[in-house]
């Protein structure tokens, strides 16, 4: 990796072949992982990323659709490993496991497995997979240890542990890991799947080196970094120079004030600085602390080159100001089980800062959540084994300057993450999905409405433990509208206990439920864009007919009066009502 930058002359064809071959390696790693993993967070939901990094920890490629908020936190793990072991401390056949919050602050379920890649006895790269395990002990079952009070109560912490050395597995280490996990067969299966993906990535990278030569491939990587940075700089250069600011809030623990998200973005020529130093300091026992640049990186990537393959050059022109002790650069042992909760709001707030400068490009706020995290775990007497069923239920995106927001879509932070198919959940666990539908009237009204949230109702057939907390951390900050659009409706979670009338609001993350318990997850809708009175009446009628909005909302928010059967617009009454509502708003 130390060849001079200009020592290799690349012909355009070879450069383009390598430009596409490197992401293809990460994609093939992804397919291998998905096919061989054991838990549905990986093979169905796709809560993982697969990547190649160079010996300096710079990102060569990441799989298309890989979890977006993992992007900032692979290099830090590899660089920390190199600092611990030294470059001479890695050997062919080594396998390193890591999930420790002191380095890349996430919940402990996000486990990194990485391997050094050697070519002719020389370390040339690292193959890395981060994936969401269903359990790592403690209170981690499902989606991290929400409800725990420190990292040790959350689960098992693994800090740059060589679980294989020179090809030989460390049986004692692996036994220690197995013994501290509730579902060891699944965990060890996922570990083997991650290892297989890493070995595949290393093998494919060495094939490129054999075919094109080491200097040619490494020279192409440096060129790709530089060209990617140049594309991002060109996009930033089109933004007017200036300082742009915005703020929002994120929930903290009940009874404590919310966290403040304050963003200051400075654009000067092709340089951009995202300053998050005004965000709240870290707090103890809160769980929402994190240690990542991911929020700033995702917002920047979306503004510059959203459809380009990802590599280290994508962030070469970005400076992020995020001091130690900030809620998003927390210092261990600050608790980080809900580490991702603030990231969607950070992204939305960065975009909001540009709402006036880029009026044709910035949408209203999306649901502000990584999704409603459903997990049901327990013992299945029919199969005589333990089970964990998981899904992430998505919310709505904000309306755009030229179109409605996407309904029931994962956060911008989630890549190609999706919900678990109903058939899979019912096949693998003793439960019934009673409903998975669009949540009527959840979207923020606007000339272009926000996307709708979801309503999902699940019933357990055996005594079980639920992840049943609120679907997000923005109860005091609804997904905002822009240009006169209204905010989206905030989601919530309800619990129906057998034999009791009605339902109650769930405010705790973990609930034990007897057989027959039902949990209803409702996810937030996105904010609207533009004055709702300017929405085309036929679009309002369509939304009513399809069940997206009610007749009452059509009247109260959009000023659209429908005929008695709700199948047509009363144009005269609508014109009169809109005129009256417009006058009321003006006054």
């Amino acid at each position: 990796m130390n060849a001079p930058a200009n020592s290799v002359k690349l012909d355009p064809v070879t450069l383009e072949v390598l430009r596409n071959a490197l992401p293809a390696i990460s994609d093939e790693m992804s397919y291998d992982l998905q096919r061989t993993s054991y838990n549905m967070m990986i093979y169905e939901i796709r809560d993982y990323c697969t990547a190649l990094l160079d010996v300096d920890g710079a990102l060569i490629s990441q799989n298309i659709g890989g979890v977006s908020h993992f992007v900032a936190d692979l290099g830090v793990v590899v660089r920390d490993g190199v600092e611990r072991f030294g470059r001479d401390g890695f050997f062919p056949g080594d396998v390193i496991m890591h999930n420790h919050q002191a380095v890349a602050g996430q919940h402990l379920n996000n486990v990194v497995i990485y391997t050094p890649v050697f070519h002719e006895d020389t370390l040339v790269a690292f193959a890395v997979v981060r994936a969401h395990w269903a359990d790592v002990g403690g209170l981690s079952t499902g989606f991290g240890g929400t409800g725990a009070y420190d990292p040790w109560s959350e689960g098992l912490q693994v800090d740059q542990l060589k679980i294989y050395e020179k090809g030989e597995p460390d049986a004692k280490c692996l036994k220690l890991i197995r013994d501290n996990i509730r579902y060891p067969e699944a965990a060890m299966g996922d570990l083997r799947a991650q290892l297989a993906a890493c070995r595949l990535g290393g093998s494919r990278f060495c094939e490129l080196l054999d075919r094109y030569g080491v200097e040619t491939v490494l020279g192409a990587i440096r060129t790709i970094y530089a060209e990617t940075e140049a594309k991002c700089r060109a996009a930033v250069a089109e933004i007017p120079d200036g300082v742009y600011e915005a703020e929002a809030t994120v929930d903290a623990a009940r009874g404590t004030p919310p966290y403040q998200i304050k963003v200051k973005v400075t654009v000067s020529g092709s340089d951009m600085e995202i300053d998050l130093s005004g965000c709240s300091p870290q707090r103890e026992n809160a769980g929402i602390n994190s240690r990542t640049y991911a929020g700033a990186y995702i917002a920047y990537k979306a503004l510059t080159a959203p459809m380009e393959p990802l590599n280290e050059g994508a962030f070469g022109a970005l400076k992020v100001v995020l001091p130690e002790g900030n809620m998003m650069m927390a210092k261990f042992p600050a608790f980080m089980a809900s580490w991702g909760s603030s990231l969607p709001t950070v992204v939305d707030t960065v975009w909001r800062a540009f709402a006036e400068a880029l009026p044709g490009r910035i949408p209203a706020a999306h649901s502000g959540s990584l999704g409603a995290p459903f997990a049901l775990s327990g013992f299945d007497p029919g199969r005589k084994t333990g089970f964990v069923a998981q899904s992430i239920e998505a919310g709505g995106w904000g309306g755009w300057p030229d179109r409605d927001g996407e309904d029931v879509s994962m956060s911008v932070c989630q890549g190609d993450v999706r919900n678990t198919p109903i058939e899979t959940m019912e096949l693998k666990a003793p439960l019934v999905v009673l409903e998975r539908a669009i949540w009527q009237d959840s979207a923020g009204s606007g000339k272009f409405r926000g996307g709708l949230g979801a309503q999902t109702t699940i019933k357990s057939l055996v005594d079980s433990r639920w992840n049943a907390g609120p679907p997000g951390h923005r109860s005091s900050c609804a997904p905002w509208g822009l240009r006169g659009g209204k905010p989206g409706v905030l989601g919530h979670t309800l619990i129906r206990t057998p034999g009791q009338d009605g339902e109650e609001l769930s405010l705790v993350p973990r609930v034990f439920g007897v057989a027959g318990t039902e949990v209803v997850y409702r996810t937030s809708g996105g904010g609207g864009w533009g004055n709702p009175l300017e929405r085309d009446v036929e679009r309002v009628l369509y939304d009513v007919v399809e069940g997206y909005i009610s007749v009452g909302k059509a009247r109260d928010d959009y000023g659209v009066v429908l005929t008695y059967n709700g199948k047509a617009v009363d144009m005269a009454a609508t014109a009169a009502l809109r005129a009256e509502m417009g006058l009321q708003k003006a006054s």
Side-chain angles (χ1 to χ4, degrees):
M1 299 301 290
N2 297 316
N6 298 319
S7 63
V8 177
K9 289 187 177 180
L10 288 165
D11 66 88
V13 173
T14 300
L15 178 60
E16 287 307 306
V17 169
L18 293 172
R19 191 192 308 279
N20 289 275
L22 292 166
I25 293 173
S26 296
D27 288 342
E28 190 175 0
M29 293 171 64
S30 168
Y31 303 143
D32 190 64
L33 174 72
Q34 189 181 6
R35 287 197 303 266
T36 58
S37 59
Y38 277 56
N39 95 75
M40 60 183 67
M41 283 298 295
I42 301 176
Y43 64 76
E44 289 288 9
I45 296 173
R46 303 188 185 184
D47 193 356
Y48 65 80
C49 70
T50 55
L52 292 174
L53 280 74
D54 67 25
V55 295
D56 298 314
L59 184 67
I60 296 173
S61 63
Q62 181 175 312
N63 66 301
I64 295 174
V67 173
S68 310
H69 58 245
F70 289 169
V71 62
D73 302 319
L74 299 178
V76 293
V77 172
V78 168
R79 288 190 291 272
D80 181 71
V82 172
E83 184 177 339
R84 303 275 189 96
F85 301 115
R87 287 193 186 178
D88 296 335
F90 293 100
F91 303 93
D94 283 356
V95 180
I96 301 91
M97 179 176 177
H98 184 87
N99 73 342
H100 205 278
Q101 294 171 343
V103 177
Q106 304 188 3
H107 66 71
L108 297 178
N109 298 68
N110 288 344
V111 175
V112 175
I113 301 293
Y114 70 98
T115 61
V117 179
F118 284 84
H119 182 261
E120 297 180 353
D121 298 322
T122 300
L123 179 66
V124 291
F126 291 92
V128 186
V129 176
R130 170 174 262 129
H132 183 132
W133 285 20
D135 184 274
V136 287
L139 288 176
S140 68
T141 304
F143 290 89
T146 305
Y149 53 86
D150 64 15
W152 294 272
S153 58
E154 180 183 354
L156 184 65
Q157 300 177 81
V158 181
D159 188 8
Q160 300 289 1
L161 185 65
K162 283 192 177 184
I163 55 175
Y164 283 64
E165 293 196 63
K166 299 181 181 179
E168 291 297 320
D170 188 323
K172 290 181 180 179
C173 284
L174 292 172
K175 184 178 186 305
L176 180 65
I177 294 167
R178 287 180 58 97
D179 289 347
N180 282 277
I181 292 177
R182 293 178 181 84
Y183 308 97
E185 295 304 322
M188 294 299 103
D190 290 339
L191 189 155
R192 292 192 297 270
Q194 289 176 267
L195 174 54
C198 286
R199 286 175 172 166
L200 175 63
S203 176
R204 291 289 187 261
F205 188 67
C206 287
E207 288 173 10
L208 284 184
L209 299 180
D210 288 336
R211 181 171 182 179
Y212 294 98
V214 175
E215 286 199 356
T216 297
V217 174
L218 300 187
I221 290 171
R222 288 190 294 271
T223 299
I224 292 167
Y225 288 169
E227 291 183 354
T228 301
E229 179 179 337
K231 289 179 181 179
C232 294
R233 284 189 175 277
V236 172
E238 295 179 358
I239 302 173
D241 286 359
V243 178
Y244 305 96
E245 298 184 66
E247 58 184 79
T249 60
V250 178
D251 296 345
R254 279 185 292 164
T256 62
Y259 286 91
Q260 300 296 316
I261 304 293
K262 294 186 178 181
V263 170
K264 182 170 74 172
V265 186
T266 303
V267 176
S268 178
S270 63
D271 293 315
M272 181 182 292
E273 176 185 280
I274 299 178
D275 185 348
L276 300 173
S277 61
C279 296
S280 294
Q282 70 182 63
R283 299 182 193 172
E284 296 302 318
N285 301 330
I288 203 170
N289 305 299
S290 64
R291 188 175 179 85
T292 179
Y293 290 113
Y297 277 22
I298 294 166
Y300 179 84
K301 183 73 165 66
L303 287 166
T304 54
M307 303 306 293
E308 292 288 326
L310 190 60
N311 61 68
E312 196 71 21
F315 310 109
L318 172 65
K319 179 182 179 182
V320 181
V321 180
L322 191 50
E324 189 96 359
N326 187 287
M327 60 180 286
M328 285 174 292
M329 192 50 63
K331 187 175 181 179
F332 184 80
F335 185 38
M336 303 180 189
S338 296
W339 76 284
S341 298
S342 64
L343 298 184
T345 302
V346 172
V347 175
D348 269 345
T349 309
V350 172
W351 292 348
R352 188 182 196 179
F354 287 109
E356 296 300 323
L358 303 172
R361 292 180 56 189
I362 302 300
H366 73 321
S367 61
S369 166
L370 296 180
F374 154 69
L376 183 69
S377 60
F379 183 79
D380 184 345
R383 294 186 174 91
K384 295 181 172 53
T385 185
F387 69 91
V388 182
Q390 294 172 272
S391 183
I392 299 177
E393 300 302 298
W397 277 50
W400 295 79
D402 60 352
R403 63 189 185 277
D404 293 344
E406 289 80 2
D407 300 321
V408 193
S409 294
M410 288 296 172
S411 164
V412 66
C413 298
Q414 293 284 66
D416 275 352
V417 164
R418 70 235 15 228
N419 59 24
T420 301
I422 292 171
E423 295 83 358
T424 299
M425 288 194 286
E426 294 184 339
L427 178 66
K428 298 293 181 69
L431 62 83
V432 176
V433 180
L434 301 176
E435 177 187 29
R436 179 180 272 164
I438 281 175
W439 183 22
Q440 188 182 60
D441 287 346
S442 57
S445 302
K447 178 179 180 180
F448 297 104
R449 65 164 173 81
L452 291 141
Q455 176 168 296
T456 303
T457 304
I458 300 172
K459 179 179 180 178
S460 65
L461 301 180
V462 298
D463 295 353
S464 313
R465 296 180 297 272
W466 295 83
N467 273 100
H473 285 76
R474 283 229 306 245
S475 66
S476 61
C477 183
W480 54 81
L482 288 178
R483 303 277 172 152
K486 295 192 174 185
V489 176
L490 285 163
H492 54 268
T493 303
L494 301 170
I495 299 175
R496 299 170 181 161
T497 303
Q500 293 185 358
D501 294 332
E503 52 203 16
E504 61 183 273
L505 191 66
S506 175
L507 298 175
V508 296
R510 297 180 184 278
V511 176
F512 178 82
V514 299
T517 298
E518 298 177 15
V519 176
V520 183
Y521 298 89
R522 289 174 176 163
T523 60
S524 301
W529 195 99
N531 186 347
L533 299 181
E534 296 178 7
R535 185 167 177 81
D536 184 276
V537 295
E538 292 300 323
R539 301 189 74 165
V540 176
L541 175 62
Y542 176 85
D543 283 349
V544 171
V545 171
E546 292 297 317
Y548 299 157
I549 68 173
S550 63
V551 172
K553 193 174 187 72
R555 179 188 64 249
D556 297 340
D557 282 8
Y558 294 101
V560 174
V561 181
L562 302 180
T563 56
Y564 71 95
N565 60 2
K567 302 296 184 182
V569 176
D570 185 328
M571 298 302 292
T574 294
L577 179 57
R578 283 190 160 186
E580 180 184 349
M581 293 173 68
L583 288 173
Q584 291 174 352
K585 183 176 180 181
S587 62

